[in-house]
Amino acid sequence: MYQFHVPNMTCGHCVARVTKALQSADNRAQVQVDLASKTVSVESTVSDAALRKALGDAGYPVH
């Protein structure tokens, strides 16, 4: 389980893009987004670096 802080998320559209980006890196990833705290929890077998890259490529760099 990975947890990321994604400060650029501001709306439902952002949540959808973040989810899609993570699932493009791992189509079996289970993604839970908490927009209020700007955190994303991901259950995945893909590396932390690959998930961070997918988020960054989608315009949502992880801090």
Side-chain angles (χ1 to χ4, degrees):
M1 172 81 71
Y2 300 104
Q3 202 163 29
F4 303 111
H5 178 67
V6 186
N8 293 354
M9 291 190 305
T10 58
C11 64
H13 177 73
C14 295
V15 170
R17 288 196 58 193
V18 163
T19 301
K20 183 177 179 180
L22 291 166
Q23 290 179 334
S24 72
D26 177 3
N27 63 352
R28 294 184 180 179
Q30 294 185 10
V31 180
Q32 294 181 328
V33 179
D34 182 344
L35 187 56
S37 67
K38 300 184 184 288
T39 59
V40 180
S41 299
V42 186
E43 182 84 30
S44 175
T45 57
V46 174
S47 72
D48 176 84
L51 296 173
R52 286 176 180 271
K53 181 177 180 341
L55 287 170
D57 289 350
Y60 296 93
V62 175
H63 295 280

